[in-house]
Amino acid sequence: MLARLALAALLVAPTASAQLSVTLTTPLGGAQPVTEALFVEPHPGGGAVACFRTGASDADDADLVVVRVDRAGAELWRNSVPTSSRRGSVDSLTITPAGRIVLNTQDDNVVDGHIGELVCFEPHGTTAWTAWPAPVSGTPFRGRVAGLSPSGDVFLIGSNAGQGVVSALLYDSNTGAELWRTDLPGYSPGPNLSFLKARTNDGRMFAAFWIGV
């Protein structure tokens, strides 16, 4: 059975009579059919990028696939997320001004000691880099992409599970290098990622989180 990525093209007219004009579909599937659509975002170079879970629906066995289609709905490329990131879920899909696609993966079960990773793809589909911050206190780091800097670099914020260390980081969107990191210990027992929200504006990152008890 084929799962489908359905992209809707809207013709925006200067009047209030603009209507949905055409629906474009790209079939996906094969030996490991799609079991879940995770994210879809418009691409600045045209068309859209989507991330799917394929194979088994269980988080420990699922593979992640990234697909880009053009304005006409034709598939330009697809690429699998590197093996180390395939477990768990995708927290966000972010596209930089240069057209790079950054996935933030999370491993909720931590069965292999791997808790997450930033995976970056070039606009033409090859894997550009992978990165994830080293833990502060030896416990797994859970992070969330908070947005982009004015130059297109990637803000990440998160904490070491149960240790109360909140960390803010900035990654070079071209290379994946860590540009800076600020660790703020003293929060107990530490924020739950589910309740951590962050956004960027004018090169600053603003975060709000709840300290669970």
Side-chain angles (χ1 to χ4, degrees):
M1 174 175 156
L2 292 180
R4 289 182 177 271
L5 160 63
L7 301 179
L10 288 175
L11 292 181
V12 180
T15 69
S17 62
Q19 298 180 12
L20 182 67
S21 62
V22 62
T23 299
L24 311 171
T25 59
T26 297
L28 302 173
Q32 291 187 314
V34 171
T35 57
E36 186 178 1
L38 302 175
F39 286 94
V40 61
E41 295 286 345
H43 194 278
V49 176
C51 182
F52 297 90
R53 194 190 311 277
T54 67
S57 59
D58 184 88
D60 289 341
D61 299 318
D63 287 346
L64 301 173
V65 175
V66 179
V67 179
R68 183 178 171 190
V69 297
D70 64 16
R71 288 184 176 91
E75 181 177 320
L76 296 175
W77 53 261
R78 71 174 68 186
N79 199 341
S80 298
V81 173
T83 303
S84 60
S85 300
R86 285 179 178 173
R87 296 181 182 274
S89 60
V90 176
D91 186 76
S92 65
L93 187 159
T94 305
I95 301 180
T96 72
R100 293 186 177 88
I101 299 115
V102 180
L103 297 184
N104 175 16
T105 69
Q106 299 289 336
D107 184 350
D108 297 328
N109 296 326
V110 205
V111 294
D112 56 359
H114 187 85
I115 194 65
E117 195 165 30
L118 295 178
V119 183
C120 180
F121 296 94
E122 296 286 3
H124 55 265
T126 61
T127 303
W129 50 263
T130 62
W132 198 253
V136 175
S137 56
T139 56
F141 180 89
R142 292 181 180 273
R144 170 156 289 162
V145 170
L148 302 172
S149 73
S151 60
D153 296 320
V154 182
F155 281 105
L156 184 74
I157 190 167
S159 66
N160 283 71
Q163 298 300 312
V165 180
V166 176
S167 301
L169 305 97
L170 184 68
Y171 285 91
D172 188 312
S173 63
N174 296 312
T175 65
E178 186 179 300
L179 299 177
W180 56 255
R181 175 174 182 160
T182 300
D183 297 314
L184 303 171
Y187 301 97
S188 179
N192 185 320
L193 184 64
S194 299
F195 299 102
L196 189 154
K197 308 297 180 183
R199 292 291 186 270
T200 57
N201 184 49
D202 296 331
R204 293 179 173 89
M205 177 169 60
F206 301 87
F209 50 85
W210 173 67
I211 304 298
V213 293

